Each structure stands twice: as structure tokens, then as C-alpha cells.
Amino acid sequence: MADPWTVNAGEISAAVSRSRREFLRSLTGAACYQPFLSVSAPQFASAPKSRAQRAIVVTFGGGCRDEEILTPHGQQNVPYLLRELLPQGTFFTHVENRGILGHYVATASLTTGVYETFDNFAAVPPQSPTVFEYFRKDLKRPLHDTWVVAPSNGFNRIGSSDHRAFGPGYGAQVVLPKRFLKQALASNTTGDYARLLQDNYETPLFSPQVEGGRFSLDEFTELLNLSAKDFVTQALTLSSADELSFFVAKRLMRRYAPRLLWITLHDMDVAHAGCFSLYIEGIQRTDRLCREIWRTIQSEPEYAGKTALFILPDFGRDSDGSIGGNGFQHHRTGDALSRTTWMLALGPGIHQNRVVDRPIAPLDVVPTLGAMLGFDARMARGKPLNELL
Ligand SMILES: [Zn+2]
């Protein structure tokens, strides 16, 4: 795949990073309890005292523009991210995504540490080994120790690659809550349930076939320790698909305490439908759910004080200024704004109140998880982030 990055894109991306830094600096004193310690290079006076033994990765899914979160006007949409979580973690202002901007392929690239090049809408596994496979193979971890909770049936194959040295025998279990809710609701999938069941927002008529699913509905509800009836009852109290994913993730945490959990949030991608207020609602909900996930970590004995949380978008959205730009709606131009994202990491051994400006890649997440948890992401193209180790 040709590198979509240009010199001009590099300049725009660096400017975005600087703008984020300036905005975060403006929060100092106004909203945060402590001043930010800003650094440009990974040089620390003291080594972290402890290191995470578990990790949860959350994609701030679908991506959003800085206008809606990292500006004086947009900050109101993400109060928990900026005021509660960010002061407790290390924030990277400059993540450059040089891969394909489709949600499944981009998320798969995050899990492998390699820019995957398959068709975003194909029911295929990643080509390179996933983080789940490195984790289970190197650390000899059982099946229930790693899970993916995903929003779309199109993510069904994300749990393992087809690499011959790895593969499904080492993969994560992938839970598609909407799929099971649809089965549990049987034919009654209209009206109020529709908000929970739409597969994706970019191609609303696309309905991928789920092949090779590991569980039946009965097995799924057994995994959650719920009856199908109770699962439906619970689900219908929730306002969105991301809430459903969080509900399932929390049950999995309580029941199996997986050491490696990947949660893909996606509500804000409703932006494709063109309704700004729903897009904003999605961002606000994602903000709240990220805080709920962090609070769940702190309240569960298996996780408290032992768990790193990574929060990052799969990618951003187009700028208005580029040719074909379309406001908040899409990510079709592949411009520098849609490729310049951010990441927040929190947990034991991770510096608090820290902002890092140097450019990093989404591919760095998997090698960093490897260095943290003790496995070797040997085919990943990224590098471990020393700022977190
Ligand atoms: Zn999208």
C-alpha cells in the first residue's frame, strides 16, 4: 500500500498537535486539579514504580473532529475525558494513522500493529497476528483470558489472524452483542429496538453474514450468566449500542476477569447519517462510558491498581477545508485531519498529567502492550512507547 502521507500532511498534522497542546495548556488551572507536566521527549527522572498486569483498550469509536472535543467550545462534550481521566494519565497529542480509514480494517490494524490492507467490508481475518494471539501464545493464557466486544457483525473475524504460526487457536473470543440481541428478539426487530441493532452507520443497508461464530445465543447468555430473557430486558433499558457493549464488557469483567479486553465503541459514527445532534450525543455518551470503564476498573478487585486503560480513536474525520471535505460527516478524503488522532493511557506505572507531543503511530499500541504485559509482538511494525513503560 502506498504511504498516503505527504510533506504537507506532516505539517498539518504537527500543527494539529500544537493546537491540542495549546488547548490542554489552557485547561490548566481552569479545569484541572494539577498543572500539566508537558514533555516533548521520553526522558524521565524516575522509573515507574509498578507496571500493569492487565490491559483494556477502548476505541473512542468512529472518531470525531477536534472541534467537538479539544477546543474551548468543544470541551463541554467530553468533561470526563478532560477533567477526570486526562489528569490521571499520559496524553499523546500526535498519533499519525497512515492506514486505510475503514473501521474494521483500521481497528484490525490497531490489534496487529501492522497496517492491514484487506477490504474493509470483507469477512476476512487480519493477515498479521493479533495482540490476542501474541498474548495467549507467549504467556500460555487460556481462552477466557482475552475478549473483544465489537459493535458490528463486520468485526466478527477480528479475534485472530490466519497466520500459520498463530491463528484462531490463540485468538480472542469476539462478542457481537447486537447479533445476540437480534436473535433473542427473534422477529421483533422494529421500532424501539432499531437503535440498538443497526450494524454500522456508513453503509446502513450493509448486513454482513456472520460465519464461524463460536457461540449460540444460549451459550452467549450462559457466558454472561444471564437468561436470554434477562439479557433482552437489560438491553432494552439501554439507550444505544455502545451502552450494550459496555454492559456486556462489564459482565465479562466480573465473570472472567480477562487480562486483555478490547472494547470498540462506535455510536458517534452515526455522523455518517448527517445529524449533528446525534453525533454530539454519541461523543458525549462515549465520554461517559470511558469514565464508567475506568471506574469499573477501580471498583473490581481483579483490576484495581493492576490495569492499564488505553483510549484512542480508530481515526478521525475529514476537515471542511480539504477538497471533498464534508464537515463532521465522513472520513472519505484521507486528509491529514482524519489521520491525526490522539491517545490517552492510564494505569499503574503510567505518568499522570503528562502530555507527549512527538509523533507516534497507532501501530505502537500492540508493541507497547507486549512490553507491558510480557509478550513479544514480533511481527508488529510499531515500537513500544517508552513514555508508558
Ligand atoms: Zn465511519
Side-chain angles (χ1 to χ4, degrees):
M1 185 180 68
D3 188 345
W5 208 249
T6 63
V7 173
N8 189 35
E11 288 170 0
I12 295 170
S13 188
V16 169
S17 167
R18 283 195 298 276
S19 155
R20 288 173 181 169
R21 155 67 74 101
E22 288 308 309
F23 167 69
L24 295 175
R25 187 172 283 152
S26 77
L27 289 177
T28 305
C32 298
Y33 306 114
Q34 306 162 41
F36 286 106
L37 291 172
S38 297
V39 294
S40 299
Q43 296 176 352
F44 300 126
S46 59
K49 293 190 183 75
S50 59
R51 183 171 284 186
Q53 300 156 28
R54 296 166 181 272
I56 298 179
V57 180
V58 178
T59 55
F60 200 85
C64 62
R65 303 184 305 182
D66 278 15
E67 283 96 314
E68 278 76 65
I69 62 169
L70 295 173
T71 57
H73 178 69
Q75 63 178 300
Q76 62 187 334
N77 296 317
V78 286
Y80 300 120
L81 186 74
L82 294 178
R83 296 174 191 215
E84 187 170 325
L85 301 183
L86 201 144
Q88 297 183 62
T90 293
F91 188 86
F92 293 83
T93 62
H94 195 166
V95 183
E96 291 180 0
N97 189 325
R98 304 188 182 199
I100 299 172
L101 305 188
H103 297 293
Y104 173 42
V105 67
T107 308
S109 302
L110 274 174
T111 68
T112 61
V114 175
Y115 287 126
E116 297 287 327
T117 56
F118 57 80
D119 174 359
N120 185 58
F121 293 106
V124 295
Q127 290 149 328
S128 300
T130 61
V131 65
F132 318 111
E133 292 158 86
Y134 294 129
F135 167 77
R136 283 194 57 207
K137 187 171 187 181
D138 284 6
L139 302 179
K140 299 183 171 49
R141 301 307 306 171
L143 182 64
H144 283 337
D145 218 19
T146 182
W147 296 77
V148 179
V149 183
S152 157
N153 288 340
F155 281 60
N156 188 43
R157 304 292 301 274
I158 201 168
S160 59
S161 68
D162 57 4
H163 193 284
R164 63 184 176 180
F166 292 87
Y170 298 107
Q173 303 198 76
V174 179
V175 178
L176 308 170
K178 290 183 207 176
R179 174 180 172 227
F180 293 110
L181 182 60
K182 194 166 187 174
Q183 286 180 22
L185 289 165
S187 58
N188 194 359
T189 58
T190 56
D192 202 28
Y193 311 134
R195 73 188 189 284
L196 292 168
L197 294 178
Q198 183 167 342
D199 187 76
N200 71 88
Y201 300 107
E202 192 158 18
T203 53
L205 299 178
F206 175 67
S207 181
Q209 291 300 309
V210 176
E211 292 170 3
R214 294 193 178 90
F215 317 121
S216 66
L217 174 62
D218 286 345
E219 288 166 328
F220 170 69
T221 51
E222 163 65 23
L223 285 168
L224 297 191
N225 200 20
L226 275 177
S227 71
K229 185 166 174 284
D230 288 345
F231 172 57
V232 169
T233 305
Q234 284 283 346
L236 295 182
T237 65
L238 304 171
S239 62
S240 82
D242 281 353
E243 299 251 24
L244 181 63
S245 290
F246 173 58
F247 167 73
V248 168
K250 202 159 60 172
R251 301 282 306 193
L252 292 174
M253 289 170 73
R254 296 231 167 105
R255 186 116 199 250
Y256 302 103
R259 288 179 189 229
L260 179 59
L261 175 62
W262 195 290
I263 306 170
T264 302
L265 302 179
H266 207 62
D267 279 353
M268 71 182 76
D269 208 43
V270 73
H272 288 297
C275 180
F276 189 72
S277 64
L278 290 179
Y279 164 61
I280 293 294
E281 258 180 43
I283 294 169
Q284 293 170 342
R285 188 179 303 115
T286 305
D287 179 56
R288 179 170 52 75
L289 290 176
C290 287
R291 181 252 225 153
E292 290 299 313
I293 291 166
W294 180 241
R295 289 195 167 184
T296 302
I297 289 170
Q298 307 316 314
S299 67
E300 293 291 324
E302 295 271 20
Y303 289 92
K306 306 172 196 165
T307 308
L309 174 64
F310 289 70
I311 302 171
L312 72 166
D314 42 1
F315 46 80
R317 306 198 90 82
D318 298 336
S319 77
D320 268 334
S322 61
I323 297 170
N326 34 42
F328 66 95
Q329 246 185 301
H330 301 303
H331 38 82
R332 292 177 181 165
T333 64
D335 69 358
L337 265 71
S338 60
R339 296 184 175 281
T340 307
T341 60
W342 48 267
M343 181 170 79
L344 175 63
L346 313 93
I350 295 175
H351 288 270
Q352 300 191 343
N353 254 348
R354 178 86 62 171
V355 178
V356 177
D357 292 334
R358 75 176 176 93
I360 65 165
L363 308 185
D364 298 335
V365 172
V366 169
T368 304
L369 288 169
M372 213 172 248
L373 301 182
F375 57 84
D376 180 9
R378 40 208 170 275
M379 281 171 246
R381 300 275 170 80
K383 296 191 174 65
L385 296 167
N386 290 330
E387 294 91 339
L388 302 179
L389 299 170

